[in-house]
Amino acid sequence: MVRRAVVVLVTFLVAGCAGLADTGTQSAVGSDGTGPITLAIGRDTTAYLRPLLDRWNQAHPDEPVSLLELPEAADEQRAQMVANLQAHNDVYDVLALDVMWTAEFADAGWIAPLDRSLFPLDKLLKGVADTAIYRDRLWAAPYTSNAGLLYYRSDILKKEHLKPPRTWAELREQATRLSAKYHIGGYAGQFLPYEGLTVNFAEAVQSAGGSILSPDARTVTMDLGSARAALGFLVGGVKEGWIPREALTYKEEESRLAFQEGRLLFARNWPHAYGPAAHSKLAGKFSVTRLPGLNGPGSSSLGGYNLAISAFSKRQKSALDFIRYFTGRDNERLVLTEGSFPPVWADLYDDPELIERFPYLPVLKEAIVSARPRPVTADYNQVSLLISSAVTGALTLSTPVDETVADLKQGLGEVIQPGG
């Protein structure tokens, strides 16, 4: 009954986005509108953006960009953008879109298509450009990439003569034993019911050898075995205590702080958490590796942000010029050095100077290349809401794992229409 209510709810939410655009007939950005523009992006938790924007503003005094910070959580960012765009409001010129929103925003006619020839897509990391393409058209410019990493207390593992865990069994054993010995939490990810929880669950399913949807998002491919293993791993951690109950309230920032403040032995997070930790009391006491999996290294969900132009912007020429500048190689280097965000230019990951400063780059590149993109579908928000709601029921021990997985698969089948 709860599952059916969720399906009805998410279907209602997406119904509010009716009025799809003809993505095959829209012309690429060509407006000559210039002048001051705005960049709508999630809250800058590392305080790197304003200095980078100042560089543009100093060079373009007649086309300054203003920063409009949206909430930290991706779900809340999307909600604010959607409300603005549904009203055809021109307040936002450039939108920093989670890589999963390309299809939805393009399908709804909220963003303007771009000319591929204006962007060096062949110089980007493998698979990154695909996140900005929908129905064979480019709708945004890749800005940052992302893959989840396992942060771990290298000082404690070294003291215990242990290597970082490569499998769930090793993570469970180390987290259980060492958290008790050192009186800190064992492991945490992003387990609050929002998009972050969907990502954590998808990564667990992938790391157990399974999948949730087909790449074209038209078929539910989730087999019960891998899904049970994935959810059982997370639920078992809560039951056994090596995943603290407090972790069920964590988004990215809460899990970052918990690890950085020395309250966790292991934490799953994005690379942006590395910089702040490296400049905290934890400096020299932690490291990162790939996410563990059922039988070996796991697979992350491919994350990141792409920059798109609002279809309702009156200054699309300035917006396009800004995006080309802001996703250029020089600025991408600063995105890494000043913000600790993964750049999209492939050669930056092989730069000896950058590797010396950011020793995790080879691991990060491997994690990004081996990551799997989430299904490209205009209905992704329905899928994410359904997954996070179901997984929350299991993590709070309200619904058994087997029942959760069976209901989730059936619910996904009701949302995803084969051939649709």
Side-chain angles (χ1 to χ4, degrees), residues 27 32 77 140 244 314:
S27 59
D32 59 359
Q77 294 171 28
K314 296 178 180 177

Side-chain angles (χ1 to χ4, degrees), residues 344-403:
V344 295
W345 286 67
D347 70 324
L348 293 177
Y349 289 82
D350 302 318
D351 186 315
E353 182 180 336
L354 291 177
I355 292 175
E356 181 177 357
R357 182 173 173 183
F358 302 94
Y360 62 87
L361 282 181
V363 172
L364 176 56
K365 182 179 181 181
E366 185 179 344
I368 291 175
V369 171
S370 63
R372 294 189 196 175
R374 284 160 281 175
V376 178
T377 169
D379 296 329
Y380 180 79
N381 194 52
Q382 294 186 70
V383 171
S384 181
L385 285 169
L386 182 59
I387 291 173
S388 62
S389 176
V391 174
T392 293
L395 289 179
T396 55
L397 310 183
S398 300
T399 311
V401 169
D402 287 357
E403 180 182 337

Side-chain angles (χ1 to χ4, degrees), residues 327-339:
T327 58
R329 188 181 184 281
D330 290 345
N331 206 70
E332 284 285 301
R333 187 183 182 95
L334 292 172
V335 166
L336 171 63
T337 59
E338 305 302 319

Side-chain angles (χ1 to χ4, degrees), residues 273-286:
Y274 192 98
H279 293 88
S280 71
K281 65 179 183 181
L282 214 60
K285 299 178 181 180
F286 79 99

